[in-house]
Amino acid sequence: MKTLYIVRHGETDWNKMGKYQGITDVPLNENGLNQAKACGNALKDVTFDRILSSDLSRALVTAETIRGDRTTSITVDKRLRELNFGDWEAMLFSDIEARWPGLIDEMYLRPHLVKVPNGESFKDLQDRAWAGLEEFLNVNDEEETLLIACHGGTIRTLLCKLLDISISHCWNFSQGNTAINRIFYNGMGEYDHNILNLLNDTAHVELLQGHV
């Protein structure tokens, strides 16, 4: 069995503004850096054998911050990037709705059917992200604890894949900034069962904000 800690990146200014950032390389803001540090503190007692990260800086800096003083190597893979929002990159919800009436709502209601104009569908995202994660998992068949740092949409599609859930349900999973998800991974065979043991744990962010 492998234990997977799948973590979303910290906050960016575009997150705060509500802009769709997708594959645009938007850095963490000050709050995002503090969230990553708080997440690292929450995971300080976990021994990670290997780390995988999206190549976008908001995810990679989150991974590096969580790693802290550990000497664990980080594998960087662009297949773990967020959904390519195509023409929607850097746009607000209201701007998208004005240019493509109803399409953005359709994406949230039926993510398995919508492809973003000049961008990707959630199936495209799932296929490339799973190819990257599967390759990383299959480096060996040893029992390991792994950290995967990436993006909200990416994580949602990976959870669907790992739990054998239709991608049409990807929005059923909340994913806050630096949310921690833990999965006990046993394989993808017909009789294998992967267990979602922790979902969207953001207690460290709430503590940072003084809400706990």
Side-chain angles (χ1 to χ4, degrees):
M1 185 188 76
K2 296 182 189 290
T3 301
L4 314 182
Y5 284 84
I6 307 178
V7 177
R8 187 187 174 202
H9 61 79
E11 184 187 77
T12 71
D13 284 341
W14 284 21
N15 284 147
K16 194 172 181 179
M17 296 166 64
K19 283 187 176 182
Y20 285 74
Q21 55 195 354
I23 62 171
T24 305
D25 197 2
V26 185
L28 297 180
N29 60 21
E30 184 178 357
N31 187 47
L33 288 168
N34 288 333
Q35 290 173 340
K37 291 173 185 174
C39 186
N41 189 58
L43 296 173
K44 67 182 186 301
D45 295 327
V46 180
T47 299
F48 294 114
D49 296 292
R50 292 184 291 131
I51 300 172
L52 175 67
S53 176
S54 158
D55 68 327
L56 297 178
S57 63
R58 59 188 184 270
L60 183 54
V61 171
T62 299
E64 291 169 341
T65 304
I66 294 171
R67 177 178 64 174
D69 295 332
R70 300 175 183 89
T71 58
T72 317
S73 63
I74 298 179
T75 299
V76 177
D77 193 329
K78 68 180 183 180
R79 290 175 291 183
L80 271 288
R81 288 181 176 185
E82 179 59 283
L83 183 78
N84 181 349
F85 279 105
D87 292 343
W88 295 359
E89 295 271 329
M91 295 184 72
L92 297 170
F93 183 102
S94 56
D95 298 328
I96 296 168
E97 176 61 23
R99 280 191 62 184
W100 295 273
L103 187 57
I104 194 165
D105 282 335
E106 189 72 8
M107 182 192 72
Y108 287 110
L109 291 170
R110 300 175 181 83
H112 57 302
L113 299 178
V114 174
K115 185 166 187 169
V116 176
N118 292 310
E120 291 181 301
S121 68
F122 277 83
K123 184 64 167 61
D124 294 331
L125 169 58
Q126 185 183 61
D127 287 347
R128 66 165 162 82
W130 173 244
L133 179 56
E134 183 179 39
E135 183 178 297
F136 184 73
L137 293 173
N138 290 341
V139 165
N140 62 60
D141 57 4
E142 299 170 8
E143 187 169 305
E144 296 179 293
T145 298
L146 308 174
L147 172 65
I148 297 99
C150 52
H151 310 269
T154 311
I155 292 170
R156 290 178 174 96
T157 66
L158 288 174
L159 289 176
C160 288
K161 181 70 176 183
L162 288 162
L163 300 175
D164 195 24
I165 295 171
S166 168
I167 201 169
S168 64
H169 297 299
C170 68
W171 290 111
N172 289 47
F173 300 108
S174 292
Q175 288 297 301
N177 287 117
T178 64
I180 301 169
N181 307 277
R182 183 169 56 220
I183 289 185
F184 299 140
Y185 175 80
N186 293 294
M188 298 299 292
E190 183 180 358
Y191 300 108
D192 290 321
H193 297 283
N194 300 317
I195 300 168
L196 179 61
N197 177 260
L198 186 68
L199 175 67
N200 192 41
D201 181 3
T202 56
H204 53 281
V205 174
E206 294 165 11
L207 184 64
L208 188 68
Q209 296 171 337
H211 294 164
V212 175

